[in-house]
């Protein structure tokens, strides 16, 4: 399917690994040029960028930095505008681990770190994009990557992450309510168990234990999530506004 994204410019935070890379490849497959933010491993990031350039024939700009920091967000947009002159799509994928402790042992610093990495940075990206895009009179897209954790709180020591992702889900819906009239479409995607470089590798006890929760009987691949994100960034999805798209393999049934 031609989603009409050829030549569009997409920013993907945390875009060199896991779900972020899946989003980058899916967008590039539709002809979108990329601005890929990453936090560490510059050699690995350049390898990913070169692979995407060669395989999909699109332009790729790498921007290093912590996407939870305002100075990094400013740098992402400044460099994107310098190279491409526009930003059409923002995919807020970047996030970070959190302190897994009994609730009474959490510190305020633990809480703030989790909110910065999984909610506040995403707010900064949305805020910057809306201010830029609001007066252009063209169609733009924001897709936030949330988690099943804000809808299915079946794990312990998870209050920080669940709260942050739940806040991001609500930010998505309330922002969509406000900015759709300006041509900015805002949605979010809730992945379940996704087999990435770090998580859910075949053969481990955890892999087999968690597989039983998947109605499909198989883990998602990063590209599965990326395909859904890419569709949401197209005009074919113009009736999908403020949605929470379930990509959990049936875990929320």
């Amino acid at each position: 399917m031609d989603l009409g994204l050829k030549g569009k410019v997409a920013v993907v935070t945390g875009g060199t690994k896991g779900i972020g890379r899946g989003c980058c490849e899916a967008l590039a497959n539709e002809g979108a040029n990329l601005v890929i933010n990453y936090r560490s491993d510059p050699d690995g990031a350049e390898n990913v960028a070169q692979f995407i350039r060669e395989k999909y024939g699109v332009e790729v700009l790498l921007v290093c930095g912590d996407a939870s920091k305002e100075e990094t967000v400013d740098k992402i947009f400044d460099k994107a505008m310098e190279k491409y002159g526009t930003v059409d799509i923002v995919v807020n994928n970047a996030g970070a681990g959190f302190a897994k402790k009994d609730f009474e042992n959490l510190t305020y610093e633990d809480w703030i770190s989790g909110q910065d990495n999984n909610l506040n940075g995403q707010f900064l990206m949305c805020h910057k994009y809306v201010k830029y895009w609001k007066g252009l009179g063209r169609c733009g897209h924001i897709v936030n990557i949330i988690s099943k954790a804000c809808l299915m709180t079946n794990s312990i020591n998870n209050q920080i992450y669940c709260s942050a992702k739940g806040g991001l889900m609500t930010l998505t819906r309330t922002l969509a309510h406000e900015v759709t009239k300006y041509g900015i479409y805002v949605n979010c995607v809730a992945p379940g168990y996704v087999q990435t470089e770090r998580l859910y590798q075949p053969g481990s006890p955890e892999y087999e234990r968690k597989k039983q929760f998947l109605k499909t009987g198989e883990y998602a691949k990063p590209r599965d999530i990326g395909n859904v994100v890419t569709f949401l960034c197209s005009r074919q999805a113009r009736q999908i506004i403020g949605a929470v798209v379930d990509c959990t393999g049936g875990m929320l049934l």
Side-chain angles (χ1 to χ4, degrees), residues 66-86:
D66 181 349
S68 71
K69 305 299 184 185
E70 190 166 14
E71 57 266 27
T72 299
V73 172
D74 288 342
K75 181 167 74 168
I76 290 170
F77 279 91
D78 288 346
K79 288 187 174 294
M81 294 299 293
E82 181 181 333
K83 181 173 179 63
Y84 299 115
T86 189

Side-chain angles (χ1 to χ4, degrees), residues 169 172-177 180 185-188 240-244:
M169 177 178 66
T172 299
R173 292 176 57 77
T174 56
L175 184 58
H177 185 68
T180 304
Y185 290 76
V186 190
N187 292 287
C188 60
I240 304 176
I241 297 169
V244 181

Side-chain angles (χ1 to χ4, degrees), residues 1-250:
M1 179 185 293
D2 181 1
L3 296 178
L5 299 182
K6 185 175 178 59
K8 299 291 186 183
V9 177
V11 171
V12 181
T13 63
T16 60
K17 297 178 182 179
I19 292 173
R21 178 170 177 172
C23 292
C24 287
E25 290 204 43
L27 287 160
N29 189 54
E30 291 293 327
N33 296 313
L34 299 172
V35 180
I36 305 179
N37 157 254
Y38 69 100
R39 193 179 217 175
S40 59
D41 188 13
D43 291 339
E46 184 52 50
N47 288 338
V48 170
Q50 192 57 33
F51 172 84
I52 292 174
R53 291 184 190 110
E54 292 175 359
K55 182 170 182 178
Y56 300 104
V58 300
E59 295 187 57
V60 179
L61 171 67
L62 291 171
V63 182
C64 183
D66 181 349
S68 71
K69 305 299 184 185
E70 190 166 14
E71 57 266 27
T72 299
V73 172
D74 288 342
K75 181 167 74 168
I76 290 170
F77 279 91
D78 288 346
K79 288 187 174 294
M81 294 299 293
E82 181 181 333
K83 181 173 179 63
Y84 299 115
T86 189
V87 173
D88 301 292
I89 294 163
V90 169
V91 180
N92 277 315
N93 167 73
F98 54 96
K100 295 208 72 168
K101 305 175 185 176
D102 290 338
F103 184 73
E104 64 270 24
N105 294 323
L106 290 172
T107 66
Y108 186 62
E109 288 72 23
D110 294 332
W111 176 265
I112 292 300
S113 175
Q115 303 303 311
D116 280 345
N117 285 306
N118 298 295
L119 174 59
N120 295 339
Q122 292 79 353
F123 159 80
L124 291 170
M125 288 291 297
C126 290
H127 190 256
K128 184 82 172 180
Y129 184 66
V130 168
K131 287 180 70 175
Y132 156 70
W133 197 264
K134 187 174 176 180
L136 295 184
R138 306 203 310 269
C139 181
H141 295 272
I142 298 171
V143 180
N144 295 318
I145 305 299
I146 59 167
S147 170
K148 68 174 182 57
C150 57
L151 298 162
M152 180 184 182
T153 55
N154 63 332
S155 57
I156 61 173
N157 305 136
N158 211 16
Q159 292 87 356
I160 291 175
Y161 187 73
C162 292
S163 299
K165 289 296 190 179
L168 184 56
M169 177 178 66
T170 304
L171 172 62
T172 299
R173 292 176 57 77
T174 56
L175 184 58
H177 185 68
E178 179 175 337
V179 302
T180 304
K181 63 186 176 183
Y182 301 114
I184 305 171
Y185 290 76
V186 190
N187 292 287
C188 60
V189 172
Y193 293 143
V194 183
Q195 190 176 330
T196 68
E197 300 93 338
R198 295 188 304 111
L199 297 174
Y200 312 127
Q201 291 301 307
S204 69
E206 182 184 40
Y207 179 90
E208 296 301 328
R209 181 179 69 82
K210 290 187 173 180
K211 188 176 180 180
Q212 65 182 308
F213 298 111
L214 298 166
K215 300 294 186 291
T216 60
E218 60 180 342
Y219 285 80
K221 299 294 193 296
R223 184 64 176 269
D224 295 328
I225 310 304
N227 289 339
V228 175
V229 168
T230 300
F231 177 74
L232 290 173
C233 294
S234 73
R235 288 295 293 162
Q236 281 86 337
R238 62 185 176 272
Q239 292 300 313
I240 304 176
I241 297 169
V244 181
V245 181
D246 179 351
C247 288
T248 66

